[in-house]
Amino acid sequence: MAEIDAANTTSSVREDAWEGFVTGNWNEEIDVRDFIQLNYTPYEGDASFLAGPTEKTERVWKTLEKDYLSVERKKRVYDVDTKVPADIDAFPAGYISEDDDVVVGLQTDVPLKRAMMPNGGWRMVETAIKEAGKEPDPEVKKIFTRYRKTHNDAVFDIYTPRIRAARSSHIITGLPDAYGRGRIIGDYRRVALYGVDKLIEEKMKDKDLVADKPFSEHWARYREEHSEQIKALKKLKVMAESYGFDISGPAKTAKEAVQWTYFGYLASVKSQDGAAMSIGRLSGFFDIYFERDLKAGIINESDAQEIIDALVIKLRIVRFLRTIDYDAIFSGDPYWATWSDGGMGEDGRTLVTKTSFRLLQTLRNLGPAPEPNITLFWNKRLPQGYKDFCALISIETSSVQYEADDQIRDHWGDDAAIACCVSPMKVGKQMQFFGARVNAAKALLYAINGGRDEVSGKQVVNGYEAVQGDEPLNFDDVWAKYEEMLDWVVGTYVEALNIIHFCHDRYAYESVEMALHDSEIVRTMGCGIAGLSIVADSLSAIRYAKVTPIRDETGLIVDYKTEGDFPVYGNDDDRADDIAATVVHTIMSKIKAIPMYRDAIPTQSVLTITSNVVYGKATGAFPSGHKAGTPFAPGANPENGMDTHGMLASMMSVGKLDYDDALDGISLTNTITPSGLGRTLDEQIKNLVGIMDAGFIPQA
């Protein structure tokens, strides 16, 4: 497709990009939240204003499905560029079709074609290229194996023997030591509100704030990182120019605001293959521009919906070059382009706008899809029309995720967004060092076996005494051994994370994403655990029932005989739920005791939405009755089939976990058929809203 003529894309509607906006602190410094608070229009109505897909939207989507998505499903990978290492401006402009002119921009020059990102590590790139049926370019391989050290090379140069042992035995899995760490949300709205030239100007000022200070490691890194950020912003302008857009100044229309914002996000996914490349919190920001253009008669509602549909189409076709093993860890090919929405503001106003509805409408206009991962901040005080529409779309599509608005706002403010599935952060003011998670369930088996792996039989951890004899397990003895083993597991885990992020900053720095942050930011270390319900139920069985170990011919405990009843986590029973809460608190306390890279604030998630299958495959049998090699329950869910008191009881059990011990997020995945909510659609909507209102209540 020929380049779009710049004259047709540069707005001549208004000279002043900020015409009609209420002024405030955002005029004096980079402050997107202030702009939103002063200018957005809360919407408390229903969905009756929404428009369906335009003919252009349908044509683009049909072309994408026919020519690209259907081919990809057959091949797994549509295509790979093997010659050009990815970068913000590495590829010429690409389009889906002649109709693809509402929101433009692709990661490469062809839809779904994946790019190499060798800075993370050459071995994963080479494997992924071969698995896609292609051969890596020998010159590119030479560069990244002989001349250019990668993040993966550096990590494995530093890794200690105990980290390697923990990694090989799968007690720690999914570490971002060969791919982008992700969990960084650039404030892509800044591109639209201020234009890139203003952002460059501010970064240059920030860089020189330390110019007269004495040399230190922080001083040098601060100035170098700012230089990289400025270079990335200049590349962002070049990339936009290839599509015929001058984004040096602020956007003047709603269409430009969406396009400018998307260019910022596109630059990020062109240059990083992070485990979660979330887009942030956009609806309230976009809605300000839509409301202004609707009042001026520049667009109508159909135009507004077409623009949001076009953006979501682009978000649905983000792709990264990854291996089959990576896909196995994450049970597919997710990239978590999470779009956060809803919630209440600190001033008591709802943050719901008409564009909040438009985002949900894309699931009707384009059909259900997992990406972007639409994440709504639920609050009982949300407008009834919005709550009803959320419930309706959930029933129709099963494509919406919900988070506890009060918890997020109280800890992270009302301009927070979710990275990946449950990780909250202040947009543009905070980033996370992503840490995958430890197998907390396997650690319990290591404690019982004195550091021997229950699957391989290898002695992975030395210096710990196993349970002796064939008598029933004693709770106090097992708990003491578990706490001791957690010291080793957590210490090894955090050591690995500090190494990974030290190396990532040096060899695979996210320059454009960090360019869309404040210069001084909050950093968190996003630790995580898997297998919580198995640990809770197993410890409960040991305490309240009779659990006798079963050994193999070498003396390794490989199974258990459990006699008698015991309380089970997930049924609103304090006896089991308190054990789960104690496990989470204990692990978080041990994490907090260890110094973090760049003085990051340690946080923890109870999250395995996709990788629970892989964790289960690497883990043996448990006192709870969980069979060897079978999948874990996801996240903080009760064990599969063990919650017998209904959805609300499981929500109450999860609610007993202290959010302060898991500030990186707690995940509960519930499945319910629409017919289980009521006989009519109205009943189903009302009952789902009621469940959500009851489940998302603030902790006392």
Side-chain angles (χ1 to χ4, degrees), residues 451-474:
R452 281 185 75 191
D453 190 281
E454 75 287 353
V455 176
S456 68
K458 294 179 180 179
Q459 188 73 42
V460 176
V461 187
N462 294 307
Y464 294 84
E465 183 181 359
V467 168
Q468 302 299 311
D470 296 321
E471 299 300 314
L473 297 176
N474 176 272

mmCIF file of all heavy atoms in Angstrom, residues 451-474:
data_model
loop_
_atom_site.group_PDB
_atom_site.id
_atom_site.type_symbol
_atom_site.label_atom_id
_atom_site.label_comp_id
_atom_site.label_asym_id
_atom_site.label_seq_id
_atom_site.Cartn_x
_atom_site.Cartn_y
_atom_site.Cartn_z
ATOM 1 N N GLY A 451 15.289 -31.448 50.561
ATOM 2 C CA GLY A 451 15.949 -30.862 49.400
ATOM 3 C C GLY A 451 16.104 -31.796 48.219
ATOM 4 O O GLY A 451 16.654 -31.402 47.185
ATOM 5 N N ARG A 452 15.622 -33.030 48.319
ATOM 6 C CA ARG A 452 15.628 -33.941 47.162
ATOM 7 C C ARG A 452 14.402 -33.681 46.304
ATOM 8 O O ARG A 452 13.300 -33.460 46.810
ATOM 9 C CB ARG A 452 15.610 -35.413 47.609
ATOM 10 C CG ARG A 452 16.932 -35.965 48.055
ATOM 11 C CD ARG A 452 16.825 -37.450 48.362
ATOM 12 N NE ARG A 452 16.739 -38.258 47.146
ATOM 13 C CZ ARG A 452 16.433 -39.554 47.139
ATOM 14 N NH1 ARG A 452 16.153 -40.185 48.273
ATOM 15 N NH2 ARG A 452 16.396 -40.214 46.002
ATOM 16 N N ASP A 453 14.605 -33.694 45.010
ATOM 17 C CA ASP A 453 13.497 -33.475 44.091
ATOM 18 C C ASP A 453 12.636 -34.726 44.024
ATOM 19 O O ASP A 453 13.126 -35.823 43.762
ATOM 20 C CB ASP A 453 14.028 -33.113 42.700
ATOM 21 C CG ASP A 453 12.917 -32.635 41.788
ATOM 22 O OD1 ASP A 453 12.178 -33.482 41.256
ATOM 23 O OD2 ASP A 453 12.776 -31.414 41.612
ATOM 24 N N GLU A 454 11.344 -34.531 44.248
ATOM 25 C CA GLU A 454 10.418 -35.662 44.310
ATOM 26 C C GLU A 454 10.162 -36.311 42.956
ATOM 27 O O GLU A 454 9.640 -37.433 42.882
ATOM 28 C CB GLU A 454 9.087 -35.218 44.932
ATOM 29 C CG GLU A 454 8.179 -34.384 44.043
ATOM 30 C CD GLU A 454 8.630 -32.949 43.805
ATOM 31 O OE1 GLU A 454 9.618 -32.520 44.457
ATOM 32 O OE2 GLU A 454 8.006 -32.266 42.984
ATOM 33 N N VAL A 455 10.546 -35.637 41.873
ATOM 34 C CA VAL A 455 10.355 -36.185 40.529
ATOM 35 C C VAL A 455 11.633 -36.868 40.042
ATOM 36 O O VAL A 455 11.619 -38.033 39.635
ATOM 37 C CB VAL A 455 9.922 -35.082 39.540
ATOM 38 C CG1 VAL A 455 9.812 -35.656 38.124
ATOM 39 C CG2 VAL A 455 8.589 -34.474 39.968
ATOM 40 N N SER A 456 12.755 -36.158 40.094
ATOM 41 C CA SER A 456 14.016 -36.695 39.574
ATOM 42 C C SER A 456 14.796 -37.495 40.607
ATOM 43 O O SER A 456 15.634 -38.326 40.254
ATOM 44 C CB SER A 456 14.901 -35.553 39.072
ATOM 45 O OG SER A 456 15.352 -34.754 40.163
ATOM 46 N N GLY A 457 14.536 -37.241 41.879
ATOM 47 C CA GLY A 457 15.301 -37.883 42.939
ATOM 48 C C GLY A 457 16.631 -37.222 43.231
ATOM 49 O O GLY A 457 17.359 -37.631 44.143
ATOM 50 N N LYS A 458 17.000 -36.183 42.471
ATOM 51 C CA LYS A 458 18.276 -35.506 42.671
ATOM 52 C C LYS A 458 18.276 -34.682 43.950
ATOM 53 O O LYS A 458 17.256 -34.132 44.358
ATOM 54 C CB LYS A 458 18.579 -34.588 41.481
ATOM 55 C CG LYS A 458 18.819 -35.313 40.175
ATOM 56 C CD LYS A 458 19.098 -34.307 39.054
ATOM 57 C CE LYS A 458 19.351 -35.009 37.730
ATOM 58 N NZ LYS A 458 19.594 -34.041 36.623
ATOM 59 N N GLN A 459 19.458 -34.584 44.570
ATOM 60 C CA GLN A 459 19.626 -33.716 45.727
ATOM 61 C C GLN A 459 19.885 -32.301 45.211
ATOM 62 O O GLN A 459 21.001 -31.953 44.816
ATOM 63 C CB GLN A 459 20.781 -34.188 46.594
ATOM 64 C CG GLN A 459 20.894 -33.456 47.927
ATOM 65 C CD GLN A 459 19.800 -33.859 48.907
ATOM 66 O OE1 GLN A 459 19.461 -35.024 49.029
ATOM 67 N NE2 GLN A 459 19.220 -32.878 49.596
ATOM 68 N N VAL A 460 18.875 -31.472 45.214
ATOM 69 C CA VAL A 460 18.974 -30.120 44.662
ATOM 70 C C VAL A 460 19.460 -29.137 45.723
ATOM 71 O O VAL A 460 20.274 -28.255 45.457
ATOM 72 C CB VAL A 460 17.619 -29.669 44.080
ATOM 73 C CG1 VAL A 460 17.692 -28.220 43.591
ATOM 74 C CG2 VAL A 460 17.186 -30.592 42.950
ATOM 75 N N VAL A 461 18.970 -29.286 46.941
ATOM 76 C CA VAL A 461 19.322 -28.379 48.040
ATOM 77 C C VAL A 461 20.020 -29.187 49.127
ATOM 78 O O VAL A 461 19.497 -30.224 49.574
ATOM 79 C CB VAL A 461 18.073 -27.698 48.627
ATOM 80 C CG1 VAL A 461 18.482 -26.636 49.642
ATOM 81 C CG2 VAL A 461 17.213 -27.093 47.523
ATOM 82 N N ASN A 462 21.168 -28.749 49.549
ATOM 83 C CA ASN A 462 21.948 -29.465 50.564
ATOM 84 C C ASN A 462 21.803 -28.812 51.933
ATOM 85 O O ASN A 462 21.542 -27.607 52.040
ATOM 86 C CB ASN A 462 23.425 -29.500 50.175
ATOM 87 C CG ASN A 462 23.667 -30.313 48.916
ATOM 88 O OD1 ASN A 462 23.251 -31.472 48.831
ATOM 89 N ND2 ASN A 462 24.329 -29.709 47.934
ATOM 90 N N GLY A 463 21.973 -29.649 52.971
ATOM 91 C CA GLY A 463 22.024 -29.111 54.327
ATOM 92 C C GLY A 463 20.703 -29.082 55.060
ATOM 93 O O GLY A 463 20.615 -28.456 56.132
ATOM 94 N N TYR A 464 19.679 -29.729 54.543
ATOM 95 C CA TYR A 464 18.371 -29.723 55.174
ATOM 96 C C TYR A 464 17.944 -31.156 55.488
ATOM 97 O O TYR A 464 18.080 -32.057 54.651
ATOM 98 C CB TYR A 464 17.327 -29.047 54.286
ATOM 99 C CG TYR A 464 17.577 -27.571 54.096
ATOM 100 C CD1 TYR A 464 18.467 -27.119 53.122
ATOM 101 C CD2 TYR A 464 16.953 -26.630 54.908
ATOM 102 C CE1 TYR A 464 18.725 -25.765 52.958
ATOM 103 C CE2 TYR A 464 17.197 -25.264 54.753
ATOM 104 C CZ TYR A 464 18.085 -24.842 53.770
ATOM 105 O OH TYR A 464 18.334 -23.507 53.621
ATOM 106 N N GLU A 465 17.410 -31.371 56.669
ATOM 107 C CA GLU A 465 17.029 -32.712 57.101
ATOM 108 C C GLU A 465 15.638 -33.069 56.600
ATOM 109 O O GLU A 465 14.691 -32.280 56.735
ATOM 110 C CB GLU A 465 17.056 -32.804 58.628
ATOM 111 C CG GLU A 465 16.749 -34.205 59.158
ATOM 112 C CD GLU A 465 16.758 -34.264 60.672
ATOM 113 O OE1 GLU A 465 17.021 -33.219 61.306
ATOM 114 O OE2 GLU A 465 16.482 -35.345 61.218
ATOM 115 N N ALA A 466 15.501 -34.250 56.042
ATOM 116 C CA ALA A 466 14.204 -34.734 55.572
ATOM 117 C C ALA A 466 13.383 -35.258 56.740
ATOM 118 O O ALA A 466 13.899 -35.511 57.840
ATOM 119 C CB ALA A 466 14.414 -35.837 54.539
ATOM 120 N N VAL A 467 12.081 -35.423 56.499
ATOM 121 C CA VAL A 467 11.218 -36.090 57.475
ATOM 122 C C VAL A 467 11.712 -37.520 57.668
ATOM 123 O O VAL A 467 11.997 -38.232 56.699
ATOM 124 C CB VAL A 467 9.754 -36.085 56.972
ATOM 125 C CG1 VAL A 467 8.901 -37.031 57.812
ATOM 126 C CG2 VAL A 467 9.184 -34.679 57.009
ATOM 127 N N GLN A 468 11.829 -37.934 58.935
ATOM 128 C CA GLN A 468 12.345 -39.260 59.241
ATOM 129 C C GLN A 468 11.199 -40.214 59.570
ATOM 130 O O GLN A 468 10.165 -39.807 60.107
ATOM 131 C CB GLN A 468 13.313 -39.192 60.420
ATOM 132 C CG GLN A 468 14.495 -38.259 60.198
ATOM 133 C CD GLN A 468 15.361 -38.682 59.025
ATOM 134 O OE1 GLN A 468 15.751 -39.853 58.915
ATOM 135 N NE2 GLN A 468 15.677 -37.735 58.147
ATOM 136 N N GLY A 469 11.415 -41.521 59.271
ATOM 137 C CA GLY A 469 10.466 -42.549 59.657
ATOM 138 C C GLY A 469 9.235 -42.594 58.777
ATOM 139 O O GLY A 469 9.084 -41.813 57.821
ATOM 140 N N ASP A 470 8.359 -43.522 59.129
ATOM 141 C CA ASP A 470 7.137 -43.738 58.354
ATOM 142 C C ASP A 470 5.889 -43.408 59.156
ATOM 143 O O ASP A 470 4.776 -43.835 58.808
ATOM 144 C CB ASP A 470 7.083 -45.201 57.885
ATOM 145 C CG ASP A 470 8.224 -45.523 56.921
ATOM 146 O OD1 ASP A 470 8.546 -44.655 56.097
ATOM 147 O OD2 ASP A 470 8.786 -46.628 57.026
ATOM 148 N N GLU A 471 6.071 -42.651 60.219
ATOM 149 C CA GLU A 471 4.932 -42.240 61.026
ATOM 150 C C GLU A 471 4.169 -41.114 60.329
ATOM 151 O O GLU A 471 4.707 -40.439 59.443
ATOM 152 C CB GLU A 471 5.413 -41.763 62.401
ATOM 153 C CG GLU A 471 6.128 -42.822 63.210
ATOM 154 C CD GLU A 471 5.239 -44.027 63.483
ATOM 155 O OE1 GLU A 471 4.073 -43.804 63.874
ATOM 156 O OE2 GLU A 471 5.703 -45.168 63.291
ATOM 157 N N PRO A 472 2.912 -40.899 60.730
ATOM 158 C CA PRO A 472 2.159 -39.774 60.158
ATOM 159 C C PRO A 472 2.907 -38.456 60.354
ATOM 160 O O PRO A 472 3.600 -38.258 61.354
ATOM 161 C CB PRO A 472 0.841 -39.800 60.940
ATOM 162 C CG PRO A 472 0.681 -41.228 61.345
ATOM 163 C CD PRO A 472 2.078 -41.714 61.636
ATOM 164 N N LEU A 473 2.775 -37.587 59.382
ATOM 165 C CA LEU A 473 3.468 -36.308 59.425
ATOM 166 C C LEU A 473 2.959 -35.445 60.568
ATOM 167 O O LEU A 473 1.752 -35.412 60.854
ATOM 168 C CB LEU A 473 3.282 -35.566 58.097
ATOM 169 C CG LEU A 473 3.856 -36.239 56.848
ATOM 170 C CD1 LEU A 473 3.512 -35.422 55.603
ATOM 171 C CD2 LEU A 473 5.368 -36.426 56.958
ATOM 172 N N ASN A 474 3.885 -34.736 61.208
ATOM 173 C CA ASN A 474 3.553 -33.817 62.290
ATOM 174 C C ASN A 474 3.537 -32.391 61.747
ATOM 175 O O ASN A 474 4.510 -31.943 61.134
ATOM 176 C CB ASN A 474 4.588 -33.953 63.419
ATOM 177 C CG ASN A 474 4.366 -32.948 64.537
ATOM 178 O OD1 ASN A 474 4.879 -31.826 64.483
ATOM 179 N ND2 ASN A 474 3.590 -33.349 65.528
#
